[in-house]
Amino acid sequence: MPIQYSEELRLFRLATPNTAYFFHINEGGFLIHDYYGEILPMCDLRSASARIGKASFSPRSADLTTVPETAPQEYSCNGTGDYRISALQIRESRGNAATDIRYVSHKVYPGKPAIQGQPATYGTDEETTTLEVLTEDGVTGARITLYYTVFEQQDAISRRVKAENNSEKVMDLERIYSLCVEIPFGNWELGHLYGSWAKERTFERKEIPHGITAIESKRGSSSHHHNPFAAIVDKNTSEDTGAAYGFNLVYSSNFSIQVEKDYDGDLRLIMGINPTDFGWRLEPGEAFETPEGIMVFSKDGLGGMSRIFHKLYRNNLCRGPWKTKKRPLLINNWEGTYFNFDEEKIFNIAKDAGELGVEMLVLDDGWFGACNNDKAGLGDWFVNEEKLKGGLSNLSERIHGLGMKFGLWFEPEMINPDSDLFRAHPDWCLQVENRPMSIGRTQYVLDMSREDVRDYLFKCMDDILNTAQIEYVKWDFNRNLTEVASFLLPAERQKEMFHRYVLGVYDLLDRLMTAHPDLLLEGCSGGGGRFDPAMLYYSPQIWTSDDTDAMERLDIQYGTSICYPTSAISSHVSVCPNHQTKRTVPLRTRGDVALAGSFGYELDMTKMSEAEKEEVREQVKEYHKYYDVIHFGDLYRVIPPNGEECAWIYVSEDKSEALLTFVCIRNHPQIRRTVHFRGLDPNKNYADEQGTVLPGSAWMNIGVNYPKSMADGTTFKVYLSEIQ
Ligand code: GLA
């Protein structure tokens, strides 16, 4: 039973195969959190959650049924005695923000309801069970529903919240987080992913200090700088063992993850929309739904936690035919030509690539309007026939004539001041009247909360997709938001703009994917500036970073894999010296690193030597051979990149094949390097490509030694397949 309720104890138990989550309703109707972690049977945990020794200066609720600050709260409220971080704060019509919600009713049902206008995980009635707990603030009439969906085959629980104004007066939501979790004291560390452009998702793990630690974005996107992800891990947790909680918000805009450690060492974590620059007015009868937060727990370390996210996102977040269909091996012209191309140039790249086995050409930035650099044309989504004679349909036909597919770059949310669109509709940009507009990469941002703007963009994109055969769209987003205001909203609703903006983006994505359900979409934001689960719902792969240097990619792809699956991590082979780092790395290594993702090339193949082309043919063969184990297998990060070496292993779900990749980052003479397989069936026999046959137990316990003579930046792979 994934969700149980004991009438007698007024206690809920949510269970996945290996985890359990408990909370109860106390005599005053407060929802008190009891436990989250390794699976436990239904049992009376109510007394275990009572905390002692924290009562001084902590007021009691008026009905004396709880001390809000000392009781672990299922969903913490502001202004009525809980001084720790609040998940909920509602300013009522009388101007105060005291909030106090109590249990009203609950229901449990199979399946998982969608969130109106927002991306979320999904599951059939067999895969998922949902609990809705309705609560109410008896004074203001705010009705708050807490949603919990249990993924029965996976150790994941999704949560979200709905607020309804059940009163005659207006009220303003000031904070409405998607989830709140209480974790009792321990030796906890916080893991998170920070970075910048070309250096996204660096994994950092630190002891949690007393006070409040915040991981947030207020850039109007999930951002390069912080990812909407946090892990709480024991200080002894490793890749393979130990407790690891993971939290990830399905949201692409301003998010906030806060962790408060109180003087006893107890933790509270809240995750949701960042309250900075947020507010939402609820008129009587109106409702608001938060984005969804995902929680996972594993006792098998960070690796176990990551594998739960990977499986959940592959099966229950990514959607459409491409979540299971093999992705075309592509070549993108960006680093090969930048803006400097014409139809012949693109066709010739496609032709050479096609001869080596590449299956799709993606035409990047610069094909539209008066665009010859990043200073003009964004917004004018009409083909530039001076560059592409005969237009996109002609180019697409010629590329299809080579037996290849064709993909195209768009940056729908942006507009150059030097564009026909801006000249016609200057009011379509985000801006504050009488305040100069900040500019980034010579572009302004369109007001995506406006329906007329979205209608225009949809029509342009739909027309382009209907006039030429285009199987793939790369959706880019190359700056962060400023002066976030809309001409169409009254002053009291301007605080809704960041959220309305992203709802507009979701709406356009949804319309596009509904009109073109077979389209393969790749997300992008100056590399991986919007690499989050909400984007994965629409685009099963995301351009991971503008840094294509294989050595840098080891860190970036390692960090990204902490919660995102390999199939989502777009990864391309580019030229050397690398354009971002000037580093030279062997082509074989560039291929082996890019293989740990959605693979492709990003260079001018017409400039490759015969020897390089031969290497590409080899890589294409490997792409096909290893595709299933890499895209659908379990990932084991056996040696996280450490400046010296790095290794990872994929094992197929049925444990019939495995691929190990080892990278020698920096060689040392006389050092023996051994890597142990993980995740194999100890009792099955596996053969490597040289014909050595050993049981899984031997491959895991004895491991594989590597040649001492490996040069810096070279790789070594071992592929095992089961021998019956
Ligand atoms: C961003 C993307 C690149 C490329 C350029 C085009 O930086 O990340 O891959 O598409 O825009 O301008």
Side-chain angles (χ1 to χ4, degrees):
M1 282 276 277
I3 299 183
Q4 286 169 282
Y5 177 66
S6 159
E7 276 300 340
E8 186 201 340
L9 306 175
R10 304 226 294 170
L11 177 72
F12 295 96
R13 172 184 179 265
L14 283 57
T16 69
N18 299 295
T19 74
Y21 185 97
F22 285 72
F23 63 99
H24 73 271
I25 308 158
N26 85 354
E27 64 274 30
F30 284 95
L31 297 178
I32 306 296
H33 179 77
D34 296 305
Y35 174 79
Y36 181 34
E38 207 176 331
I39 193 156
L40 302 178
M42 186 52 149
C43 52
D44 185 359
L45 289 181
R46 292 171 305 165
S47 57
S49 64
R51 302 215 183 131
I52 47 163
K54 291 192 201 167
S56 298
F57 276 78
S58 300
R60 283 172 179 267
S61 58
D63 62 0
L64 307 183
T65 58
T66 196
V67 179
E69 188 178 27
T70 65
Q73 302 284 339
E74 192 52 31
Y75 193 64
S76 59
C77 294
N78 175 67
T80 46
D82 184 346
Y83 301 104
R84 294 169 290 159
I85 43 180
S86 316
L88 184 68
Q89 176 172 316
I90 303 178
R91 197 161 295 276
E92 53 147 313
S93 56
R94 290 174 295 176
N96 79 90
T99 313
D100 176 3
I101 55 169
R102 309 287 178 102
Y103 172 84
V104 176
S105 63
H106 74 270
K107 55 183 179 187
V108 175
Y109 51 88
K112 181 174 191 291
I115 316 178
Q116 188 64 36
Q118 293 187 59
T121 54
Y122 58 88
T124 62
D125 288 0
E126 288 68 44
E127 290 172 311
T128 54
T129 306
T130 297
L131 163 68
E132 275 182 35
V133 184
L134 175 65
T135 67
E136 187 166 34
D137 184 324
V139 174
T140 62
R143 290 195 142 204
I144 304 296
T145 307
L146 309 180
Y147 289 79
Y148 301 78
T149 296
V150 171
F151 286 83
E152 294 185 25
Q153 299 310 316
Q154 299 173 52
D155 289 314
I157 297 175
S158 96
R159 290 177 61 177
R160 64 186 176 91
V161 176
K162 181 161 88 184
E164 289 164 280
N165 182 349
N166 190 34
S167 79
E168 303 293 306
K169 307 227 168 80
V170 71
M171 56 179 71
D172 289 295
L173 302 176
E174 293 186 334
R175 298 163 77 87
I176 179 157
Y177 278 73
S178 301
L179 63 81
C180 170
V181 182
E182 307 261 6
I183 301 176
F185 70 94
N187 291 314
W188 297 118
E189 294 183 344
L190 174 68
H192 67 112
L193 301 166
Y194 75 93
S196 70
W197 175 78
K199 192 71 191 161
E200 297 89 338
R201 289 171 297 287
T202 309
F203 184 58
E204 180 177 63
R205 187 173 154 176
K206 284 270 155 60
E207 188 187 341
I208 302 173
H210 289 91
I212 299 169
T213 307
I215 312 288
E216 300 184 331
S217 164
K218 55 174 197 168
R219 294 170 173 270
S221 76
S222 43
S223 90
H224 300 85
H225 303 75
H226 298 287
N227 199 262
F229 163 80
I232 303 286
V233 293
D234 183 84
K235 86 166 195 283
N236 294 316
T237 292
S238 66
E239 268 293 315
D240 298 314
T241 59
Y245 295 91
F247 303 94
N248 200 194
L249 189 68
V250 186
Y251 196 50
S252 307
S253 186
N254 298 351
F255 73 87
S256 163
I257 301 175
Q258 295 192 350
V259 182
E260 180 165 2
K261 180 171 171 177
D262 69 15
Y263 76 94
D264 259 353
D266 292 330
L267 300 184
R268 169 178 290 169
L269 178 145
I270 56 176
M271 175 168 81
I273 297 177
N274 190 340
T276 300
D277 292 330
F278 170 77
W280 199 273
R281 171 143 292 198
L282 286 184
E283 296 288 345
E286 282 186 348
F288 178 85
E289 294 189 278
T290 70
E292 167 182 55
I294 309 292
M295 325 190 289
V296 315
F297 173 80
S298 172
K299 62 179 174 45
D300 299 326
L302 276 172
M305 178 204 75
S306 299
R307 287 186 289 276
I308 299 170
F309 277 120
H310 296 171
K311 205 165 159 199
L312 181 76
Y313 290 173
R314 282 199 312 256
N315 297 321
N316 301 92
L317 178 65
C318 296
R319 57 177 189 163
W322 292 103
K323 96 172 183 182
T324 45
K325 228 164 103 178
K326 192 165 173 184
R327 315 262 173 85
L329 197 171
L330 65 85
I331 181 153
N332 176 305
N333 71 303
W334 178 242
E335 285 199 22
T337 66
Y338 295 106
F339 292 101
N340 186 17
F341 61 82
D342 60 16
E343 187 211 341
E344 273 325 297
K345 176 86 210 163
I346 297 299
F347 178 75
N348 287 333
I349 293 177
K351 187 162 155 290
D352 280 22
E355 278 165 10
L356 302 180
V358 174
E359 299 162 324
M360 175 164 72
L361 179 123
V362 177
L363 177 57
D364 211 280
D365 196 354
W367 57 267
F368 49 87
C371 179
N372 286 309
N373 49 43
D374 62 9
K375 293 182 177 45
L378 278 176
D380 300 338
W381 299 109
F382 310 100
V383 66
N384 179 333
E385 296 226 17
E386 273 170 36
K387 270 179 159 172
L388 302 177
K389 308 242 164 357
L392 286 169
S393 53
N394 177 42
L395 179 60
S396 163
E397 259 170 44
R398 290 183 70 191
I399 287 174
H400 280 93
L402 299 169
M404 295 171 78
K405 294 181 170 30
F406 181 55
L408 197 63
W409 180 96
F410 283 91
E411 196 180 2
E413 297 152 77
M414 300 295 165
I415 178 170
N416 287 124
D418 183 2
S419 65
D420 292 341
L421 185 67
F422 186 73
R423 284 181 280 272
H425 296 285
D427 56 325
W428 278 13
C429 298
L430 292 179
Q431 62 197 284
V432 176
E433 215 173 349
N434 299 327
R435 181 178 287 286
M437 290 151 74
S438 307
I439 192 145
R441 210 196 186 208
T442 340
Q443 58 201 47
Y444 297 140
V445 185
L446 287 169
D447 177 355
M448 296 297 289
S449 75
R450 291 176 67 132
E451 210 171 337
D452 49 1
V453 169
R454 300 199 301 272
D455 286 347
Y456 165 81
L457 292 172
F458 177 75
K459 175 146 193 351
C460 290
M461 296 179 84
D462 190 51
D463 282 354
I464 296 272
L465 295 179
N466 288 333
T467 48
Q469 197 181 343
I470 298 172
E471 284 92 356
Y472 167 110
V473 161
K474 175 175 171 185
W475 179 305
D476 210 338
F477 171 81
N478 274 318
R479 61 159 287 188
N480 289 137
L481 311 190
T482 51
E483 296 90 31
V484 182
S486 175
F487 283 117
L488 299 191
L489 284 181
E492 65 276 13
R493 286 199 179 267
Q494 292 290 344
K495 273 198 125 184
E496 299 174 7
M497 261 309 289
F498 271 104
H499 188 59
R500 284 185 184 273
Y501 178 94
V502 78
L503 292 181
V505 175
Y506 296 153
D507 175 61
L508 183 59
L509 280 160
D510 205 62
R511 282 174 74 179
L512 192 73
M513 297 315 289
T514 305
H516 302 276
D518 291 331
L519 196 67
L520 171 56
L521 199 67
E522 179 175 75
C524 179
S525 169
R530 208 159 56 176
F531 204 122
D532 57 57
M535 282 298 146
L536 274 188
Y537 174 78
Y538 302 103
S539 54
Q541 60 191 59
I542 300 178
W543 182 228
T544 310
S545 178
D546 276 344
D547 191 342
T548 54
D549 172 71
M551 294 297 110
E552 291 289 294
R553 276 295 186 115
L554 292 176
D555 296 307
I556 296 168
Q557 293 177 192
Y558 161 73
T560 307
S561 80
I562 294 285
C563 71
Y564 303 107
T566 299
S567 54
I569 299 176
S570 292
S571 195
H572 298 168
V573 174
S574 61
V575 290
C576 277
N578 178 270
H579 289 190
Q580 295 80 39
T581 61
K582 313 288 176 253
R583 185 178 285 126
T584 294
V585 172
L587 180 54
R588 168 127 290 260
T589 303
R590 284 178 263 155
D592 285 343
V593 174
L595 263 184
S598 267
F599 184 80
Y601 292 88
E602 182 149 342
L603 40 77
D604 182 350
M605 281 217 173
T606 62
K607 294 185 180 149
M608 280 188 143
S609 69
E610 217 11 76
E612 286 174 321
K613 287 187 171 172
E614 202 39 52
E615 181 67 56
V616 170
R617 281 192 196 96
E618 203 43 45
Q619 290 172 349
V620 170
K621 266 195 231 145
E622 292 191 347
Y623 167 81
H624 292 296
K625 179 169 180 185
Y626 303 140
Y627 186 89
D628 283 352
V629 71
I630 289 175
H631 275 244
F632 306 116
D634 288 333
L635 172 67
Y636 294 83
R637 295 174 295 245
V638 273
I639 308 177
N642 56 19
E644 303 278 317
E645 52 188 4
C646 178
W648 60 90
I649 296 170
Y650 293 102
V651 181
S652 63
E653 229 181 324
D654 67 359
K655 299 187 183 294
S656 65
E657 55 174 344
L659 176 69
L660 183 160
T661 305
F662 174 88
V663 186
C664 171
I665 299 172
R666 186 157 162 260
N667 192 23
H668 299 280
Q670 303 303 329
I671 286 190
R672 180 169 148 190
R673 300 175 194 266
T674 305
V675 181
H676 298 265
F677 269 92
R678 302 262 216 291
L680 301 177
D681 181 336
N683 301 315
K684 282 183 173 169
N685 283 322
Y686 295 90
D688 69 10
E689 285 167 304
Q690 281 67 48
T692 306
V693 178
L694 287 171
S697 50
W699 288 112
M700 291 192 287
N701 285 301
I702 298 164
V704 185
N705 290 330
Y706 288 95
K708 285 183 184 170
S709 56
M710 282 180 85
D712 286 1
T714 58
T715 52
F716 190 100
K717 294 203 292 296
V718 180
Y719 173 71
L720 301 182
S721 54
E722 182 187 350
I723 299 291
Q724 297 292 350

